[in-house]
Amino acid sequence: MLLLYGFLENHPFDRQRIAERLEVSDRHLTRLLNIWHEEGMIEYKKGQGRGIHSEVVFKVNPEERFVNQFMRNINKLTLSDIEETLNLPISEVSKKVIKEKTEILLYQRPIKEKAREKKNVFIDYVDSLPDRVMEENHGQPQSEHILYNTMCRLYDLNDEGTVANGLVAFDEWHGSRLKIYVRKDIQFYNGDILYASDIAESLNHYLNTASNDLLDEIIQSIEVVSAFQLEIAAAYRTDLLKPMLSSLKAGIYKSEGDHILTTGPFYIDKYEQGSVTLLRNPYYMNPAGDLEKIKLVNDINQYVPYLNQKNMETRSIPLRNRIEYALLNPHSNSLDYHQRLYVLSVIQKFKDAYIKGPQKIDHRAFQQYQERLPPGTEPIKFEKPLKLLCIDRMSFGTDPLIQFLIENDIPVLTTYITSDDYHKMDLKSLEIDMLLVSEFIPNAYRYLYLFKNAKFSGWFREERLAKNLVHVYKNKHKEYWTYMENQFNSHLIGGAYVMPITHASKRINVPGSFKNIWSSAFGVIDYNQIIVVESGETKQEGLHNEGGVS
């Protein structure tokens, strides 16, 4: 097919000449064309009648397909095989990719197909698991652990929560078109090269299936320029584009049969009842840790045997850019302004009494709720109970807070839901007064992510100030964003609608030998960073930390 592609690039369809170029008979050529047509690689239109010529339309890029096939088998090839491949009629770009990968292979340790040792397996308990992530449930919030650890994005968030290049090697704006040069060292877990065409197809699927209110009318098309270049045609140049393409939901993947191919540090090996298994991607561009296998479970019966291992430790891992907070419904008919002030002032007292350490969020603006209550008046009374919706994953625990509210004369009617159900529901459809929730809120783009991904937008999106903020996101440089976000923040505090409580954390159980466990900038555990330290290494590390060498 590669030879056919090369011939038709420069010549019209001529059966006799094509058969000669492919060194096959006319009958064999017909058979090949029919096979490729049935496999969906070409569209073969037979000419009928005098003067009507046959036509071949390629539905895949044969050169990219050939290079991917080559990469899957590179470990089995000799240098002579590689030299013969480089003499084929392929582009200089493809030849360069093959040469670079061959040179890397000469110095690279052999690819290991299976997990090496049981000690390098981590089992993590999560709230819920999808039956399938990338297609039917693509981008669902409860799959954040999977999305982050299996998929790469054009843009990432750095430690400060601002946009940094991910799969992008270089980009530049030309008027309203963003030209992107893709890194050439990226491979899917089966060895396939990541091409610009793969990115375009994945992003188009994301734009067509996900809710993209902030990107509406901005992205007009995504065009493949060459093997490693693409252009995003926008309605106008905007700073909004890159932060939106850094979303976990914008992770890049491609479908191949029943498999979803990804380029992250791990890939999905299998789904089972109550668990998802991830294995190390042997071709990942930046392997940092020692784990070979991750098993995510939400079945306690599968988790208990792991807990019963020797030398297990429980650790609390801060989740960066993830905040747990109370949000009051601006449309509630049950609470007036002074009642909202009182509820939030009681939550502040709870924070002061029960939440300690660096995870606690303390800010003078939120301590003023108590001061803004009318002085010298009777205690605030509630004719109806406060209807509270609690998500079951608050790290500080919801029961102590509810009891504290009741002790301070706030009647509470509580509903508990799972995080899975929470992400499926529509806040507007529920008659509740207050929500306790944990959300991903990067400091650099606070309300951008809240309006795009969080339930927060259900209550506040239609307000005039919120619409002005969205307009600024879409049409102004990011230097203007901070000013508008501060205005909106003042509106929330002035109306007594919000109380940040604590930075979220996750309790995990791991063997004592597991080190370097931390959260990514997306607020989920980065499994790729986990190091397994042998007992001898631990001892040496202890001597070093104690100043054992004089």
Side-chain angles (χ1 to χ4, degrees), residues 51-71:
I52 301 178
H53 300 285
S54 297
E55 182 182 3
V56 170
V57 177
F58 286 90
K59 302 177 75 173
V60 299
N61 186 310
E63 187 169 309
E64 292 180 4
R65 188 181 181 89
F66 171 79
V67 174
N68 280 335
Q69 193 64 35
F70 174 89
M71 296 309 304

Side-chain angles (χ1 to χ4, degrees), residues 150-207:
T150 63
M151 301 170 73
C152 298
R153 295 147 297 283
L154 281 178
Y155 299 96
D156 264 319
L157 295 183
N158 61 20
D159 291 345
E160 288 73 40
T162 57
V163 169
N165 286 351
L167 297 173
V168 174
F170 174 73
D171 61 30
E172 55 184 352
W173 282 96
H174 293 273
S176 61
R177 301 176 73 87
L178 180 62
K179 191 168 188 176
I180 295 173
Y181 298 81
V182 182
R183 291 178 56 169
K184 298 177 182 178
D185 60 340
I186 310 299
Q187 292 175 261
F188 292 97
Y189 70 78
N190 69 338
D192 284 3
I193 301 291
L194 174 69
Y195 287 106
S197 57
D198 300 318
I199 295 175
E201 184 175 351
S202 180
L203 287 181
N204 278 322
H205 183 265
Y206 162 62
L207 294 171

